[in-house]
Amino acid sequence: MEQTEEDLRDTFIVHTMPEVERLIAAHQTFENTLDEAENESRQLQLCAQKVEEIASEYKLVNATQNPYTNIEPHVLPQRWNMIRELTQKRSALLHRERERQLANEKLRREFAQKAEAFNSSIETHRTEIVKVSMESHSSLEDQRNNLQKLEEELNRHQDKLNELEHVNQALEDAYIFENPYTVYSMPTLRVAWEQLFTLLHYSVNEIDNQILTRDSRGLTAEQMNDLRTCFKHFDKNNTGRLEPNEFKACLVSLGYNFRDDIKNLNKLKINSRIGQTWEFLLSSSNCQISIL
């Protein structure tokens, strides 16, 4: 009984539904054995009562003392009642914990659903920003206006981020730090959201630089389209900037010779962003748009 009381008083710590379900199942299995154990307890009490009757009838001294145990017969009902009480309390605690884990599970699923949708929205807008930035069939002014409209649309999505923050705060208040239903966390989503605006502002700035380049050089719309087509030809991964190998291919097409050693590119100290690359192409004596 002492071990049983200790087990029933033992504090449990769980973090998931499967863990609490296993504890509840084990406790129910234990509860199913109580009736049989109670019958044994009654038999022990009857046995002790019979011994007392015999000792009283024959006036035996110390006949009720048992050299094989220190447990007194009158203690058994008290201990048994204590076990019954502890069993009921533990059952109530386990079911309350189950309700808490159900609420936690709901929070996890809610956050996962909102996080997946929010990240999908970020990826969609990122693709749209790159697409608008690299458009060759519209004017630079139209591109800038489209990017500004995208920024307005993104600002309207701030409420979605606030909803995620609210759910994430509820998770933290419930001490929930793991979510098996999503790979996204609030810090990663915040960073992705900030990077999206950084990309947007960077793209707008690049468009402004292209407008300045166009106006300062007096380029026509057709020439601008040719330049953008050329740049897009070398920008294989559609990032809006030329990687070292891409920029090298661009320079080679202009007649520059390089060794395979990539360090030669670093000596040029030319930022291969689209606006500045155009400036370089336009100022190059070997620049022939038709051969790009």
Side-chain angles (χ1 to χ4, degrees):
M1 284 189 176
E2 290 180 358
Q3 183 61 48
T4 302
E5 288 184 24
E6 183 178 345
D7 291 341
L8 290 172
R9 295 179 188 274
D10 188 28
T11 302
F12 55 85
I13 300 176
V14 296
H15 301 286
T16 63
M17 278 297 298
E19 291 175 338
V20 72
E21 291 290 357
R22 284 195 294 269
L23 286 177
I24 290 176
H27 187 71
Q28 288 176 343
T29 301
F30 168 75
E31 285 182 317
N32 293 336
T33 66
L34 289 181
D35 291 339
E36 182 180 353
E38 188 172 12
N39 289 332
E40 292 179 359
S41 176
R42 290 197 186 100
Q43 293 297 325
L44 288 173
Q45 293 175 41
L46 290 174
C47 183
Q49 184 178 354
K50 187 66 174 177
V51 170
E52 289 179 356
E53 290 175 355
I54 293 174
S56 176
E57 180 180 355
Y58 294 98
K59 296 182 173 50
L60 300 176
V61 180
N62 298 327
T64 58
Q65 293 182 356
N66 191 336
Y68 301 105
T69 181
N70 295 324
I71 300 176
E72 298 292 337
H74 67 275
V75 175
L76 289 176
Q78 300 174 5
R79 300 287 291 274
W80 181 252
N81 291 335
M82 177 62 69
I83 287 177
R84 280 290 192 183
E85 182 180 350
L86 290 175
T87 300
Q88 293 175 358
K89 287 182 178 180
R90 188 172 182 83
S91 179
L93 286 174
L94 286 171
H95 282 85
R96 281 201 296 270
E97 181 62 28
R98 185 176 185 276
E99 293 300 319
R100 191 176 76 88
Q101 290 301 329
L102 282 173
N104 291 349
E105 196 76 358
K106 182 179 179 181
L107 282 175
R108 289 189 184 98
R109 292 181 182 275
E110 181 181 1
F111 179 84
Q113 181 181 7
K114 292 181 181 296
E116 295 288 341
F118 189 74
N119 184 75
S120 177
S121 176
I122 288 177
E123 294 300 326
T124 300
H125 282 94
R126 180 182 288 111
T127 302
E128 187 67 21
I129 290 171
V130 174
K131 179 181 177 182
V132 171
S133 301
M134 300 301 294
E135 283 180 349
S136 59
H137 60 275
S138 59
S139 67
L140 293 174
E141 285 76 10
D142 288 340
Q143 286 180 268
R144 182 172 58 186
N145 291 336
N146 290 335
L147 289 174
Q148 290 172 346
K149 290 179 181 179
L150 279 175
E151 183 172 11
E152 294 175 359
E153 183 178 344
L154 285 177
N155 288 329
R156 290 194 293 270
H157 279 72
Q158 182 67 39
D159 291 341
K160 301 295 183 182
L161 181 63
N162 294 337
E163 290 178 8
L164 265 173
E165 292 283 7
H166 179 73
V167 177
N168 183 68
Q169 186 60 51
L171 288 171
E172 292 181 356
D173 292 342
Y175 299 101
I176 302 172
F177 303 108
E178 294 183 1
N179 193 339
Y181 302 111
T182 181
V183 297
Y184 304 111
S185 64
M186 203 62 235
T188 59
L189 291 174
R190 291 192 197 103
V191 170
W193 181 250
E194 292 173 0
Q195 288 177 342
L196 186 63
F197 274 92
T198 300
L199 174 63
L200 178 62
H201 295 154
Y202 170 82
S203 300
V204 172
N205 184 61
E206 285 300 308
I207 296 296
D208 289 337
N209 289 338
Q210 293 172 37
I211 292 175
L212 290 174
T213 301
R214 179 199 64 188
D215 294 343
S216 64
R217 294 286 179 173
L219 299 176
T220 65
E222 183 179 357
Q223 289 174 316
M224 291 298 296
N225 287 335
D226 286 341
L227 284 171
R228 276 186 286 187
T229 300
C230 293
F231 186 90
K232 192 173 182 179
H233 171 75
F234 291 103
D235 184 19
K236 301 299 183 182
N237 51 5
N238 295 323
T239 59
R241 63 170 63 233
L242 298 184
E243 301 297 332
N245 287 334
E246 295 171 340
F247 191 48
K248 179 181 178 181
C250 174
L251 294 176
V252 168
S253 71
L254 293 173
Y256 289 91
N257 295 320
F258 294 94
R259 300 198 313 269
D260 291 335
D261 187 357
I262 199 66
K263 292 181 180 179
N264 287 314
L265 291 179
N266 297 332
K267 295 179 181 179
L268 293 173
K269 297 182 180 179
I270 297 177
N271 190 327
S272 56
R273 293 182 299 180
I274 184 169
Q276 294 176 342
T277 301
W278 287 3
E279 186 69 26
F280 173 78
L281 293 175
L282 290 169
S283 62
S284 173
S285 59
N286 294 328
C287 177
Q288 296 291 331
I289 297 300
S290 60
I291 68 174
L292 288 178

